[in-house]
Amino acid sequence: MNYSNSSDLFYNGTANKIANVLQAVNYETSLVYQVVFVLSGLVGLSLNMCFILVFMATSSLRTVMNQFLVSLALADSLNSVIAMIFLPFPTEEKAAWLCGLKGLIGCCSMMAQVMSILLVTFDRFISIVFPFNYTTWVTQRWVNFTISAAWLYTVIVGSFGGIQCLQAWYPGGKCVITEIVAAWYNTVYIIHYVGLFIIMAFAYGKIGSIILHHRRQIAAAVAPEQAASEDLKIQLKVTKDVFVVVCTSMFCLGLIPIHLMLYHVTNLPLPKMRLVRNFFMLSNCIFDPIIYFLRFKDFQSAFKSIVGRIVNPHQN
């Protein structure tokens, strides 16, 4: 294969495209950017792994809904790795496999968050709208299947970018995704994000109407217990907390499809917007586990218990 013309190799003759991409990532080589993103990525990874470890160490936390939140925490951890290793450093790679791995993880990380939020939304929708069918429909086997299928789908979609980076790499070249593959992946991601937004609007709109109806029942009831079952009250409380998590994620990730659309429409690198987009994407990885611990009392209790056993292992 002839590697003499890298712009032809990457963008089928559109030489200005690769120049735009490289111009867009020049700021990523600055020391301040590297330090901020490495430290922030480390914080995000540590917080999400702490959440996952508390879940694994506490049997009472292994509920269906929490398993979907763990899937989201894994996706956030993947994005934290991206922030620590791939975003802050130059795009040159010494080996084809490393370039391919960068493309694979980069493409998988964003899609994994979208799919995990979708699973959480479906779980909350069924638990509130179909409360009497929830335990029979959402079984452990179903949870295992949906989470596995979502991650398998994510890896399949991301593999297009990884395989392309692996094949297009050449010694001394830049590890970037071709314009054709980038346009395809960006379109797929935008469609998924917009679809998720519509599904969330419908699902949480329906849940919101049920919450309002529940409050009216409480106001009209002689005794609160006449309004609704205790189980429904618990599910509504959990759903409100989950709503805060998924809305925070959707807000922080919202700049990604906007930036991708503007980039392809204007044919400009938009480096400042790319910087803000990456900042919000990384902030989401930090905000999610903080919200878990602030709003979910069970996680707070489990975390304090684990820390107490570590500090004082002889305490009963």
Side-chain angles (χ1 to χ4, degrees), residues 113-278:
Q113 287 180 314
V114 170
M115 296 303 296
S116 296
I117 295 172
L118 179 64
L119 294 180
V120 173
T121 300
F122 276 140
D123 174 75
R124 291 298 87 203
F125 180 78
I126 296 173
S127 69
I128 300 301
V129 180
F130 305 101
F132 298 109
N133 303 106
Y134 181 69
T135 55
T136 55
W137 289 0
V138 187
T139 62
Q140 186 59 52
R141 179 177 296 181
W142 173 251
V143 172
N144 294 339
F145 171 77
T146 53
I147 292 178
S148 300
W151 278 92
L152 178 61
Y153 176 76
T154 296
V155 172
I156 291 174
V157 173
S159 65
F160 286 93
I163 293 173
Q164 182 272 308
C165 286
L166 182 67
Q167 293 178 339
W169 178 88
Y170 63 98
K174 301 289 184 180
C175 183
V176 292
I177 298 177
T178 67
E179 185 65 18
I180 295 175
V181 175
W184 172 85
Y185 179 80
N186 293 346
T187 302
V188 170
Y189 180 82
I190 292 171
I191 291 173
H192 280 71
Y193 183 90
V194 173
L196 174 61
F197 184 85
I198 295 172
I199 291 172
M200 283 184 60
F202 170 78
Y204 287 105
K206 183 69 174 177
I207 291 171
S209 67
I210 294 175
I211 292 176
L212 290 176
H213 178 68
H214 172 64
R215 287 179 176 175
R216 293 192 191 102
Q217 284 185 317
I218 293 178
V222 177
E225 58 270 13
Q226 295 176 353
S229 66
E230 188 65 28
D231 183 64
L232 178 59
K233 295 176 187 177
I234 294 173
Q235 291 289 0
L236 289 173
K237 170 64 171 63
V238 172
T239 300
K240 286 188 238 181
D241 295 336
V242 170
F243 181 72
V244 175
V245 174
V246 296
C247 282
T248 301
S249 295
M250 290 296 287
F251 174 77
C252 292
L253 299 178
L255 276 180
I256 297 177
I258 295 175
H259 175 258
L260 296 178
M261 286 189 290
L262 289 177
Y263 170 74
H264 286 288
V265 170
T266 63
N267 196 29
L268 297 173
L270 305 172
K272 291 183 179 179
M273 188 173 184
R274 177 186 170 94
L275 175 62
V276 175
R277 182 200 82 178
N278 290 343

